[in-house]
Amino acid sequence: MTPLDQDALASLFHAGAAQASQALALWLGRPASMLIDRLTRLSLIDAVGVLGGVDAEPICGCGMRVTGALSGGLLLAASDTAGLTLADLILNRPVGCSTNWGELEQSAVTETANIVGCSYLNAIAARMPGDRSGGILPSPPQFIRDYPAAVMEAAVVSQAAASETVVLAESAFRLAGVPIRCGLVFVPDRNDFDLFGAAWNEPRS
Amino acid sequence: MTASPDRTTGFHSDAIPIGEIGVARDSGVLRTFVGSCVAVVLQDRRRRVAALAHVMLPAANGRVTPPGKYADTAVPEMLRLLSLLAGDSVACTAMLAGGARMFAFGAGSPIGDQNVTALERALALVGIPITARDCGGACGRRVSLDVATGSVTTEMVGRGIQALEEDRR
Protein backbone atom coordinates (compact mmCIF):
# COMPACT_ATOMS: atom_id res chain seq x y z
CA MET A 1 0.00 0.00 0.00
CA THR A 2 1.20 3.47 -0.80
CA PRO A 3 1.62 5.86 2.13
CA LEU A 4 -0.11 9.20 1.67
CA ASP A 5 1.96 12.35 1.89
CA GLN A 6 1.34 14.86 4.65
CA ASP A 7 -0.93 17.10 2.56
CA ALA A 8 -3.06 14.20 1.34
CA LEU A 9 -3.45 12.91 4.90
CA ALA A 10 -4.38 16.35 6.20
CA SER A 11 -6.88 16.73 3.38
CA LEU A 12 -8.43 13.35 4.18
CA PHE A 13 -9.05 14.24 7.82
CA HIS A 14 -10.14 17.77 6.93
CA ALA A 15 -12.88 16.28 4.75
CA GLY A 16 -13.98 14.16 7.71
CA ALA A 17 -14.04 17.14 10.07
CA ALA A 18 -15.99 19.29 7.60
CA GLN A 19 -18.60 16.58 7.15
CA ALA A 20 -18.81 16.05 10.92
CA SER A 21 -19.34 19.76 11.46
CA GLN A 22 -22.21 19.79 8.93
CA ALA A 23 -23.76 16.72 10.52
CA LEU A 24 -23.61 18.31 13.99
CA ALA A 25 -25.27 21.48 12.67
CA LEU A 26 -28.03 19.51 10.95
CA TRP A 27 -28.60 17.26 13.97
CA LEU A 28 -28.90 20.15 16.41
CA GLY A 29 -30.48 22.66 14.02
CA ARG A 30 -27.86 25.34 14.59
CA PRO A 31 -24.84 26.59 12.66
CA ALA A 32 -21.61 24.92 13.71
CA SER A 33 -18.13 26.29 13.16
CA MET A 34 -14.85 24.43 13.13
CA LEU A 35 -12.34 25.73 15.68
CA ILE A 36 -9.52 23.22 15.27
CA ASP A 37 -8.74 20.95 12.37
CA ARG A 38 -5.31 19.39 12.27
CA LEU A 39 -3.38 16.21 11.78
CA THR A 40 -0.53 16.37 14.19
CA ARG A 41 2.32 14.45 15.73
CA LEU A 42 2.77 15.07 19.45
CA SER A 43 4.95 13.84 22.27
CA LEU A 44 3.22 11.22 24.40
CA ILE A 45 2.85 13.75 27.22
CA ASP A 46 1.26 16.38 24.96
CA ALA A 47 -1.04 13.82 23.32
CA VAL A 48 -2.42 12.72 26.70
CA GLY A 49 -3.10 16.39 27.52
CA VAL A 50 -5.01 17.18 24.31
CA LEU A 51 -8.38 17.27 26.12
CA GLY A 52 -7.14 18.68 29.43
CA GLY A 53 -4.32 18.50 31.94
CA VAL A 54 -3.85 17.25 35.46
CA ASP A 55 -6.25 19.77 37.01
CA ALA A 56 -8.96 19.35 34.38
CA GLU A 57 -12.52 18.55 35.34
CA PRO A 58 -14.10 15.31 34.11
CA ILE A 59 -15.32 15.24 30.53
CA CYS A 60 -18.15 13.36 28.92
CA GLY A 61 -18.00 11.75 25.55
CA CYS A 62 -18.21 8.63 23.49
CA GLY A 63 -15.55 6.29 22.21
CA MET A 64 -15.77 4.25 19.02
CA ARG A 65 -13.40 1.55 17.91
CA VAL A 66 -12.72 1.85 14.18
CA THR A 67 -11.71 -1.10 11.98
CA GLY A 68 -11.45 -1.84 8.28
CA ALA A 69 -9.59 0.28 5.76
CA LEU A 70 -8.61 2.59 8.62
CA SER A 71 -8.20 1.41 12.19
CA GLY A 72 -7.93 3.23 15.48
CA GLY A 73 -10.02 4.98 18.11
CA LEU A 74 -12.46 7.86 17.60
CA LEU A 75 -13.55 10.03 20.51
CA LEU A 76 -16.18 12.75 20.69
CA ALA A 77 -15.67 14.72 23.90
CA ALA A 78 -17.04 17.79 25.63
CA SER A 79 -17.09 19.34 29.07
CA ASP A 80 -19.82 18.11 31.40
CA THR A 81 -21.67 21.42 31.00
CA ALA A 82 -21.50 21.29 27.21
CA GLY A 83 -22.57 17.65 27.19
CA LEU A 84 -25.60 18.31 29.36
CA THR A 85 -26.52 21.34 27.22
CA LEU A 86 -26.30 19.10 24.17
CA ALA A 87 -28.65 16.65 25.87
CA ASP A 88 -31.08 19.51 26.60
CA LEU A 89 -31.16 20.50 22.92
CA ILE A 90 -31.72 16.95 21.73
CA LEU A 91 -34.35 16.22 24.37
CA ASN A 92 -36.05 19.52 23.54
CA ARG A 93 -35.68 20.87 27.04
CA PRO A 94 -34.74 24.40 28.12
CA VAL A 95 -30.96 24.77 28.26
CA GLY A 96 -29.75 24.16 31.81
CA CYS A 97 -32.48 21.66 32.62
CA SER A 98 -30.23 18.57 32.61
CA THR A 99 -28.01 18.48 35.68
CA ASN A 100 -26.85 14.89 35.87
CA TRP A 101 -26.09 11.94 33.63
CA GLY A 102 -29.23 9.82 33.53
CA GLU A 103 -30.03 7.25 30.88
CA LEU A 104 -31.71 9.79 28.58
CA GLU A 105 -28.83 12.27 28.75
CA GLN A 106 -26.28 9.55 28.05
CA SER A 107 -28.37 8.29 25.16
CA ALA A 108 -28.57 11.80 23.66
CA VAL A 109 -24.80 12.15 23.67
CA THR A 110 -24.30 8.61 22.36
CA GLU A 111 -26.64 9.25 19.44
CA THR A 112 -24.81 12.50 18.68
CA ALA A 113 -21.50 10.63 18.64
CA ASN A 114 -23.01 8.05 16.32
CA ILE A 115 -24.18 10.68 13.83
CA VAL A 116 -21.10 12.90 13.99
CA GLY A 117 -18.63 10.00 14.11
CA CYS A 118 -20.20 8.14 11.20
CA SER A 119 -20.30 11.32 9.09
CA TYR A 120 -16.63 11.86 9.82
CA LEU A 121 -15.69 8.31 8.90
CA ASN A 122 -17.92 8.19 5.80
CA ALA A 123 -16.25 11.29 4.40
CA ILE A 124 -12.84 9.76 5.02
CA ALA A 125 -13.84 6.39 3.57
CA ALA A 126 -15.07 8.09 0.37
CA ARG A 127 -11.65 9.67 -0.13
CA MET A 128 -9.41 6.75 0.82
CA PRO A 129 -6.87 5.67 -1.78
CA GLY A 130 -7.91 2.83 -4.09
CA ASP A 131 -5.99 0.12 -2.27
CA ARG A 132 -7.70 1.15 0.97
CA SER A 133 -11.25 1.46 -0.27
CA GLY A 134 -12.65 -1.52 1.61
CA GLY A 135 -14.85 0.49 3.97
CA ILE A 136 -14.46 1.71 7.54
CA LEU A 137 -16.47 0.08 10.32
CA PRO A 138 -17.13 1.90 13.60
CA SER A 139 -18.21 0.05 16.74
CA PRO A 140 -21.35 1.29 18.52
CA PRO A 141 -20.36 4.37 20.56
CA GLN A 142 -19.75 3.81 24.25
CA PHE A 143 -20.55 6.60 26.71
CA ILE A 144 -17.56 7.70 28.77
CA ARG A 145 -17.40 10.10 31.70
CA ASP A 146 -13.92 10.37 33.09
CA TYR A 147 -10.85 12.54 33.49
CA PRO A 148 -9.54 13.72 30.10
CA ALA A 149 -6.01 12.44 30.68
CA ALA A 150 -7.29 8.98 31.60
CA VAL A 151 -9.40 8.82 28.43
CA MET A 152 -6.58 9.99 26.17
CA GLU A 153 -4.16 7.60 27.85
CA ALA A 154 -6.39 4.71 26.77
CA ALA A 155 -6.67 6.16 23.27
CA VAL A 156 -2.93 6.41 22.65
CA VAL A 157 -1.74 3.14 24.18
CA SER A 158 -1.52 1.32 20.83
CA GLN A 159 0.90 3.87 19.44
CA ALA A 160 2.73 4.39 22.73
CA ALA A 161 3.78 0.76 22.80
CA ALA A 162 6.07 1.44 19.87
CA SER A 163 6.91 5.13 19.99
CA GLU A 164 7.41 8.19 22.18
CA THR A 165 5.25 10.24 19.82
CA VAL A 166 1.60 9.99 18.83
CA VAL A 167 -0.03 10.86 15.52
CA LEU A 168 -3.62 12.02 15.86
CA ALA A 169 -6.26 13.96 13.96
CA GLU A 170 -7.92 16.60 16.11
CA SER A 171 -10.92 18.78 15.37
CA ALA A 172 -13.18 20.93 17.52
CA PHE A 173 -16.54 22.52 16.86
CA ARG A 174 -18.61 25.28 18.38
CA LEU A 175 -22.36 25.61 18.05
CA ALA A 176 -23.94 29.03 17.53
CA GLY A 177 -26.03 30.46 20.35
CA VAL A 178 -25.31 27.83 22.99
CA PRO A 179 -22.27 27.11 25.18
CA ILE A 180 -21.33 23.92 23.36
CA ARG A 181 -17.82 23.20 22.22
CA CYS A 182 -16.89 19.62 21.47
CA GLY A 183 -13.77 17.90 20.27
CA LEU A 184 -13.36 14.98 17.90
CA VAL A 185 -10.09 13.04 18.12
CA PHE A 186 -9.03 10.14 15.93
CA VAL A 187 -5.98 8.15 17.02
CA PRO A 188 -4.87 5.70 14.32
CA ASP A 189 -3.54 2.28 15.29
CA ARG A 190 0.16 1.78 14.93
CA ASN A 191 -0.50 -0.97 12.37
CA ASP A 192 -1.75 1.70 9.96
CA PHE A 193 1.86 2.78 9.65
CA ASP A 194 1.80 2.08 5.92
CA LEU A 195 -0.94 4.66 5.36
CA PHE A 196 0.45 7.15 7.84
CA GLY A 197 4.10 6.68 6.91
CA ALA A 198 4.58 10.34 6.07
CA ALA A 199 2.98 11.55 9.28
CA TRP A 200 5.16 9.30 11.40
CA ASN A 201 8.30 10.89 10.02
CA GLU A 202 9.69 14.04 11.54
CA PRO A 203 7.40 16.99 10.76
CA ARG A 204 8.40 19.23 7.89
CA SER A 205 9.86 22.56 8.94
CA MET B 1 3.25 23.00 36.93
CA THR B 2 5.04 21.06 34.23
CA ALA B 3 8.74 20.83 33.69
CA SER B 4 11.12 19.01 31.45
CA PRO B 5 11.89 15.56 32.78
CA ASP B 6 15.33 15.18 34.28
CA ARG B 7 15.98 11.50 34.00
CA THR B 8 19.23 11.73 35.96
CA THR B 9 17.68 12.91 39.20
CA GLY B 10 13.93 12.37 38.67
CA PHE B 11 11.02 14.59 37.81
CA HIS B 12 10.94 17.48 40.27
CA SER B 13 7.41 18.72 39.70
CA ASP B 14 4.14 18.09 41.47
CA ALA B 15 2.36 16.73 38.37
CA ILE B 16 3.99 13.58 37.02
CA PRO B 17 3.33 13.06 33.30
CA ILE B 18 2.76 9.73 31.61
CA GLY B 19 5.82 7.50 31.62
CA GLU B 20 7.78 9.66 34.05
CA ILE B 21 9.05 9.27 37.62
CA GLY B 22 8.74 11.99 40.25
CA VAL B 23 10.73 12.09 43.47
CA ALA B 24 10.54 14.22 46.61
CA ARG B 25 12.10 14.46 50.04
CA ASP B 26 10.57 15.59 53.35
CA SER B 27 7.54 17.40 51.91
CA GLY B 28 5.53 18.15 48.81
CA VAL B 29 2.78 16.48 46.86
CA LEU B 30 3.26 14.23 43.84
CA ARG B 31 0.20 13.57 41.72
CA THR B 32 -0.82 12.05 38.44
CA PHE B 33 -3.77 10.68 36.45
CA VAL B 34 -4.01 7.03 35.49
CA GLY B 35 -6.49 5.00 33.49
CA SER B 36 -5.14 1.66 32.36
CA CYS B 37 -1.72 2.93 33.47
CA VAL B 38 -0.64 2.32 37.05
CA ALA B 39 0.70 4.83 39.55
CA VAL B 40 3.30 3.10 41.69
CA VAL B 41 4.43 4.80 44.88
CA LEU B 42 7.64 3.81 46.68
CA GLN B 43 8.38 5.31 50.07
CA ASP B 44 11.10 5.03 52.68
CA ARG B 45 9.38 6.63 55.66
CA ARG B 46 12.48 6.60 57.84
CA ARG B 47 14.52 8.56 55.31
CA ARG B 48 11.44 10.57 54.28
CA VAL B 49 11.91 10.05 50.57
CA ALA B 50 9.24 9.03 48.09
CA ALA B 51 8.82 8.38 44.38
CA LEU B 52 5.80 8.14 42.12
CA ALA B 53 5.96 6.58 38.65
CA HIS B 54 3.27 6.67 35.97
CA VAL B 55 3.72 3.24 34.38
CA MET B 56 2.06 2.72 31.02
CA LEU B 57 3.16 -0.70 29.77
CA PRO B 58 4.26 -4.00 31.34
CA ALA B 59 7.64 -4.56 29.71
CA ALA B 60 10.32 -2.46 28.05
CA ASN B 61 11.49 -5.29 25.78
CA GLY B 62 14.90 -3.73 25.46
CA ARG B 63 13.80 -0.08 25.31
CA VAL B 64 15.39 2.01 28.04
CA THR B 65 13.90 5.49 27.64
CA PRO B 66 11.91 6.62 29.50
CA PRO B 67 12.32 3.98 32.23
CA GLY B 68 9.18 5.12 34.08
CA LYS B 69 7.02 4.05 31.15
CA TYR B 70 7.53 0.32 31.72
CA ALA B 71 6.87 -1.75 34.85
CA ASP B 72 10.10 -3.73 34.63
CA THR B 73 12.35 -0.68 34.25
CA ALA B 74 10.42 1.75 36.47
CA VAL B 75 10.99 -0.07 39.77
CA PRO B 76 14.81 -0.31 39.56
CA GLU B 77 14.97 3.30 38.31
CA MET B 78 12.80 4.50 41.21
CA LEU B 79 15.11 2.76 43.66
CA ARG B 80 18.13 4.35 42.01
CA LEU B 81 16.58 7.82 42.20
CA LEU B 82 15.50 7.35 45.82
CA SER B 83 18.96 6.17 46.87
CA LEU B 84 20.43 9.18 45.12
CA LEU B 85 18.03 11.49 46.95
CA ALA B 86 18.53 9.82 50.35
CA GLY B 87 22.28 9.54 49.93
CA ASP B 88 22.06 5.98 51.09
CA SER B 89 20.34 2.71 50.23
CA VAL B 90 16.60 2.76 50.88
CA ALA B 91 14.08 0.33 52.41
CA CYS B 92 10.78 0.91 50.69
CA THR B 93 7.16 -0.10 50.75
CA ALA B 94 4.91 0.20 47.71
CA MET B 95 1.36 1.28 46.89
CA LEU B 96 -0.41 0.78 43.56
CA ALA B 97 -3.33 2.62 41.97
CA GLY B 98 -4.85 2.37 38.51
CA GLY B 99 -4.87 -0.49 36.03
CA ALA B 100 -8.47 0.17 35.00
CA ARG B 101 -10.17 -1.63 32.15
CA MET B 102 -10.80 1.48 30.11
CA PHE B 103 -12.72 1.64 26.84
CA ALA B 104 -10.54 -0.17 24.28
CA PHE B 105 -9.86 2.43 21.58
CA GLY B 106 -7.10 0.36 20.05
CA ALA B 107 -6.44 -3.21 19.05
CA GLY B 108 -5.51 -5.84 21.63
CA SER B 109 -6.64 -6.80 25.10
CA PRO B 110 -7.08 -4.32 27.96
CA ILE B 111 -3.67 -3.64 29.40
CA GLY B 112 -4.53 -2.51 32.94
CA ASP B 113 -4.38 -6.01 34.47
CA GLN B 114 -1.10 -6.74 32.70
CA ASN B 115 0.42 -3.56 34.12
CA VAL B 116 -0.58 -4.48 37.69
CA THR B 117 0.75 -8.04 37.33
CA ALA B 118 4.04 -6.80 35.86
CA LEU B 119 4.49 -4.35 38.74
CA GLU B 120 3.74 -7.04 41.34
CA ARG B 121 6.44 -9.16 39.72
CA ALA B 122 8.96 -6.31 39.51
CA LEU B 123 8.40 -5.37 43.17
CA ALA B 124 8.63 -8.97 44.35
CA LEU B 125 11.92 -9.31 42.51
CA VAL B 126 13.50 -6.62 44.71
CA GLY B 127 11.64 -7.65 47.89
CA ILE B 128 9.38 -4.59 48.20
CA PRO B 129 6.00 -5.32 49.87
CA ILE B 130 2.82 -3.79 48.49
CA THR B 131 1.04 -2.31 51.50
CA ALA B 132 -2.01 -0.80 49.79
CA ARG B 133 -3.70 -0.73 46.42
CA ASP B 134 -6.70 0.64 44.55
CA CYS B 135 -6.70 -1.09 41.17
CA GLY B 136 -9.14 -2.23 38.49
CA GLY B 137 -12.61 -0.93 37.69
CA ALA B 138 -13.47 0.93 34.50
CA CYS B 139 -12.56 4.53 35.34
CA GLY B 140 -9.46 6.64 35.64
CA ARG B 141 -8.01 7.83 38.94
CA ARG B 142 -6.40 11.03 40.13
CA VAL B 143 -3.61 9.85 42.44
CA SER B 144 -1.97 12.08 45.01
CA LEU B 145 0.92 11.36 47.39
CA ASP B 146 1.61 13.62 50.38
CA VAL B 147 5.30 13.06 50.97
CA ALA B 148 5.34 14.46 54.54
CA THR B 149 2.60 12.17 55.83
CA GLY B 150 3.07 9.29 53.38
CA SER B 151 -0.65 9.23 52.66
CA VAL B 152 -1.89 8.34 49.19
CA THR B 153 -5.35 9.29 47.97
CA THR B 154 -7.21 8.31 44.83
CA GLU B 155 -10.13 10.15 43.28
CA MET B 156 -12.51 8.67 40.73
CA VAL B 157 -15.34 10.34 38.85
CA GLY B 158 -18.55 9.54 40.73
CA ARG B 159 -16.77 8.00 43.72
CA GLY B 160 -14.90 10.91 45.25
CA ILE B 161 -11.63 10.84 47.17
CA GLN B 162 -10.47 7.76 49.02
CA ALA B 163 -7.35 7.27 51.16
CA LEU B 164 -5.42 4.08 50.55
CA GLU B 165 -5.41 2.13 53.80
CA GLU B 166 -2.15 0.35 54.50
CA ASP B 167 -2.20 -3.33 55.36
CA ARG B 168 0.14 -3.36 58.36
CA ARG B 169 0.02 -7.11 58.97
Side-chain angles (χ1 to χ4, degrees), chain A residues 44-45 48 53-58 62-66 72-75 139-140 142 144-147 149-151 153-158 160-164 189 191, chain B residues 1 5 7 11 15 17-18 20 31-38 54 56-57 63 65-66 69-70 102-108 111 138-142 155-158:
Chain A
L44 191 50
I45 293 170
V48 167
V54 74
D55 293 314
E57 293 298 311
C62 284
M64 298 162 87
R65 172 88 186 114
V66 178
L74 181 63
L75 174 72
S139 69
Q142 181 179 320
I144 297 167
R145 187 165 175 267
D146 210 328
Y147 297 112
V151 174
E153 181 192 280
V156 304
V157 76
S158 155
S163 176
E164 298 308 312
D189 281 352
N191 60 15
Chain B
M1 180 177 78
R7 294 193 180 114
F11 202 90
I18 190 164
E20 299 293 344
R31 59 207 174 97
T32 197
F33 269 112
V34 286
S36 59
C37 296
V38 180
H54 184 138
M56 187 176 201
L57 294 160
R63 297 183 191 88
T65 304
K69 184 175 171 182
Y70 308 100
M102 305 289 290
F103 175 77
F105 286 97
I111 205 153
C139 285
R141 291 167 172 86
R142 195 197 308 256
E155 183 180 5
M156 290 171 80
V157 172

Side-chain angles (χ1 to χ4, degrees), chain A:
Chain A
M1 294 176 189
T2 312
L4 295 177
D5 67 28
Q6 198 89 349
D7 290 339
L9 277 170
S11 166
L12 192 68
F13 286 98
H14 170 74
Q19 188 86 0
S21 178
Q22 283 180 24
L24 188 67
L26 271 175
W27 172 236
L28 296 172
R30 289 164 187 270
S33 53
M34 211 165 1
L35 303 174
I36 301 172
D37 171 28
R38 60 175 184 164
L39 177 69
T40 186
R41 180 173 174 273
L42 301 171
S43 71
L44 191 50
I45 293 170
D46 288 340
V48 167
V50 154
L51 297 174
V54 74
D55 293 314
E57 293 298 311
I59 54 166
C60 64
C62 284
M64 298 162 87
R65 172 88 186 114
V66 178
T67 53
L70 181 68
S71 62
L74 181 63
L75 174 72
L76 180 76
S79 69
D80 251 2
T81 308
L84 290 168
T85 304
L86 193 105
D88 283 335
L89 292 181
I90 293 163
L91 299 170
N92 206 19
R93 296 167 172 168
V95 169
C97 192
S98 298
T99 54
N100 55 45
W101 288 105
E103 203 172 313
L104 276 177
E105 290 79 11
Q106 291 188 31
S107 175
V109 170
T110 304
E111 189 53 28
T112 303
N114 197 28
I115 288 165
V116 173
C118 287
S119 299
Y120 179 80
L121 295 172
N122 285 339
I124 291 171
R127 290 163 180 79
M128 288 291 272
D131 56 358
R132 283 269 185 169
S133 56
I136 299 175
L137 305 171
S139 69
Q142 181 179 320
F143 182 80
I144 297 167
R145 187 165 175 267
D146 210 328
Y147 297 112
V151 174
M152 281 307 297
E153 181 192 280
V156 304
V157 76
S158 155
Q159 288 193 40
S163 176
E164 298 308 312
T165 59
V166 174
V167 173
L168 54 84
E170 183 189 11
S171 28
F173 314 99
R174 178 187 290 149
L175 276 167
V178 282
I180 296 180
R181 178 193 159 123
C182 57
L184 191 64
V185 181
F186 178 74
V187 184
D189 281 352
R190 186 70 189 176
N191 60 15
D192 268 342
F193 187 91
D194 50 354
L195 178 69
F196 286 85
W200 250 285
N201 296 335
E202 288 297 323
R204 292 180 309 186
S205 55

Side-chain angles (χ1 to χ4, degrees), chain B residues 70-84:
Chain B
Y70 308 100
D72 59 347
T73 52
V75 171
E77 178 65 3
M78 291 170 85
L79 288 173
R80 186 188 73 78
L81 292 171
L82 286 173
S83 295
L84 198 68

Side-chain angles (χ1 to χ4, degrees), chain A residues 146 150 153, chain B residues 32-41 52-56 95-102 111-117 119-120 132-144 152-156 159 162 164:
Chain A
D146 210 328
E153 181 192 280
Chain B
T32 197
F33 269 112
V34 286
S36 59
C37 296
V38 180
V40 54
V41 171
L52 187 157
H54 184 138
V55 172
M56 187 176 201
M95 295 186 193
L96 304 180
R101 295 183 176 194
M102 305 289 290
I111 205 153
D113 292 345
Q114 296 175 47
N115 282 333
V116 172
T117 303
L119 276 166
E120 288 170 343
R133 67 172 74 207
D134 177 18
C135 298
C139 285
R141 291 167 172 86
R142 195 197 308 256
V143 182
S144 184
V152 174
T153 58
T154 58
E155 183 180 5
M156 290 171 80
R159 191 194 69 177
Q162 175 178 301
L164 264 67

